[in-house]
C-alpha cells in the first residue's frame, strides 16, 4: 500500500489522482480500514491505544496486515500498488509502520492558513467537529503539526509533498515523486485530470481540472477576517520557515 496523509484540503486528493493515473497504481480513496483495525485490536486485547502496540507480536502484526489487505476494494484487482489516502491517518502513522514496515507514506503539506481557510469554507458531508470554528481549526492544526514533527524525526522515509511546489512545477515534482516510488515514468500522470475514476472527496471537481494556481495564498484575500486564526496559529503560520527547516 501507499499511504497519503496530512491535513484535509492539503492536496491529498491531488496526490492520489496523480498516482492513480499510473497504470501500476490503484487509487482506493479514503479507506477507514486503519482506524477500524485499531478499534478492533483494542476491543480484542482490552488494551487502549497506543498501549496495545507494546504487546503486538510479529505474528499478530502479520495477521492485522493481512486483514488490512483483505479489506482492500475488489476493484484494485492485481494492481502492484494501492493508494489509501485517508488524511487523518497521520494519527496512526506508528500503527501503519508496525503493520507495513516498507510501505510508502506520503505527507502532503499546504500553507496552514490556506488549508484552514479551505476547511472552514467547505461543507463536509461528515462532521469534523473542528471545521467551522477558527479557534478549533487552529487547535487541531497545532496538534497535527506536533504529531508530524515527531513522526518526521522518527520516520526518515516519509515523503514530503508540498502542494504549492506541485502547482509551481508540476512536471518536476511529479517526476521526483514517481522516482521516489520506484515506478517507471508514464506521461499519463501529468494528464491526471483526464483519468476516469470515482473521486468521492470534497476535491472531486478540482482533480478533473489541470493544475491551477488560484488556490495558492488564497487566504490573503480574506486576511483581515482571519486574524483570530493567524494569531492562534502563532509561529506555525510561517509556512516558509516550516519548509526551509525540512530542506524544501
Amino acid at each position: 500500500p501507499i499511504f497519503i496523509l496530512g491535513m484535509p484540503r492539503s492536496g491529498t486528493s491531488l496526490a492520489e489522482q496523480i498516482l492513480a493515473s499510473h497504470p501500476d497504481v490503484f487509487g482506493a480513496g479514503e479507506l477507514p480500514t486503519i482506524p477500524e483495525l485499531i478499534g478492533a485490536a483494542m476491543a480484542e486485547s482490552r488494551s487502549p491505544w497506543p498501549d496495545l502496540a507494546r504487546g503486538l507480536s510479529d505474528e499478530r502484526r502479520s495477521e492485522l496486515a493481512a486483514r488490512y489487505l483483505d479489506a482492500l476494494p475488489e476493484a484494485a484487482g492485481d494492481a502492484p500498488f494501492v493508494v489509501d489516502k485517508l488524511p487523518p491517518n497521520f494519527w496512526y502513522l506508528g500503527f501503519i509502520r508496525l503493520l507495513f514496515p516498507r510501505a510508502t507514506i506520503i505527507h502532503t503539506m499546504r500553507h496552514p492558513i490556506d488549508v484552514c481557510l479551505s476547511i472552514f469554507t467547505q461543507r463536509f458531508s461528515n462532521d469534523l467537529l473542528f471545521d467551522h470554528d477558527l479557534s478549533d481549526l487552529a487547535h487541531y492544526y497545532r496538534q497535527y503539526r506536533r504529531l508530524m514533527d515527531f513522526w518526521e524525526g522518527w520516520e526518515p522515509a516519509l515523503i514530503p509533498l508540498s502542494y504549492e511546489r506541485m502547482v509551481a512545477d508540476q512536471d518536476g515534482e511529479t517526476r521526483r515523486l514517481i522516482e521516489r516510488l520506484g515506478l517507471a515514468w508514464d506521461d499519463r500522470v501529468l494528464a491526471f485530470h483526464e483519468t476516469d475514476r470515482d473521486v468521492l472527496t470534497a476535491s472531486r471537481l478540482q482533480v478533473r481540472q489541470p493544475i491551477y494556481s488560484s488556490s495558492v495564498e488564497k487566504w490573503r484575500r480574506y486576511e483581515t477576517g482571519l486574524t483570530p486564526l493567524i494569531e492562534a496559529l502563532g509561529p506555525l503560520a510561517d509556512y516558509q520557515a516550516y519548509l526551509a527547516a525540512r530542506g524544501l
Side-chain angles (χ1 to χ4, degrees):
I2 297 172
F3 294 92
I4 299 175
L5 47 80
M7 282 289 290
R9 311 298 290 164
S10 65
T12 56
S13 292
L14 174 61
E16 183 192 29
Q17 183 74 359
I18 290 171
L19 294 180
S21 300
H22 194 285
D24 289 339
V25 181
F26 177 81
E30 298 185 351
L31 300 178
T33 317
I34 289 294
E36 287 177 353
L37 280 177
I38 289 180
M42 286 194 296
E44 293 162 7
S45 67
R46 297 183 180 180
S47 180
W49 177 260
D51 294 345
L52 72 87
R54 299 187 182 94
L56 288 179
S57 64
D58 290 346
E59 181 181 5
R60 179 65 167 146
R61 284 155 51 181
S62 295
E63 176 199 343
L64 289 169
R67 285 165 63 176
Y68 175 90
L69 295 174
D70 288 343
L72 291 175
E74 290 185 9
D78 296 325
F81 297 91
V82 178
V83 176
D84 179 344
K85 62 129 286 180
L86 187 68
N89 269 342
F90 69 82
W91 293 104
Y92 315 119
L93 199 153
F95 183 74
I96 290 171
R97 263 294 172 255
L98 287 174
L99 270 54
F100 300 104
R102 294 184 299 162
T104 297
I105 302 176
I106 299 170
H107 173 210
T108 58
M109 301 172 297
R110 185 182 177 193
H111 196 298
I113 307 177
D114 269 334
V115 83
C116 289
L117 174 64
S118 187
I119 295 170
F120 185 71
T121 56
Q122 175 68 45
R123 176 175 292 182
F124 287 94
S125 57
N126 61 320
D127 189 0
L128 294 183
L129 301 180
F130 61 87
D131 55 341
H132 289 308
D133 182 280
L134 294 179
S135 296
D136 287 347
L137 270 166
H139 175 75
Y140 187 89
Y141 186 88
R142 290 197 305 270
Q143 301 314 307
Y144 147 77
R145 279 283 296 273
R146 180 176 64 86
L147 278 172
M148 288 312 301
D149 284 346
F150 169 79
W151 294 132
E152 288 172 343
W154 173 76
E155 172 54 282
L158 279 179
I159 298 177
L161 185 64
S162 164
Y163 173 80
E164 289 82 5
R165 289 178 181 272
M166 178 62 74
V167 169
D169 181 15
Q170 178 190 1
D171 185 272
E173 289 298 305
T174 302
R175 288 182 184 276
R176 277 188 282 273
L177 178 60
I178 295 300
E179 183 178 359
R180 285 287 300 270
L181 295 176
L183 295 169
W185 179 255
D186 191 293
D187 286 338
R188 280 172 284 189
V189 296
L190 293 178
F192 64 85
H193 55 286
E194 299 175 358
T195 300
D196 185 15
R197 54 181 290 270
D198 290 335
V199 179
L200 303 178
T201 69
S203 300
R204 59 190 176 277
L205 298 180
Q206 287 94 325
V207 298
R208 305 297 185 200
Q209 306 172 54
I211 287 279
Y212 56 90
S213 61
S214 59
S215 292
V216 175
E217 295 206 341
K218 185 177 180 180
W219 66 272
R220 294 194 182 277
R221 307 177 204 171
Y222 312 98
E223 186 170 0
T224 56
L226 295 174
T227 300
L229 172 66
I230 296 170
E231 291 180 347
L233 288 172
L236 297 186
D238 190 344
Y239 184 54
Q240 293 306 315
Y242 178 69
L243 295 179
R246 284 147 185 80
L248 299 173

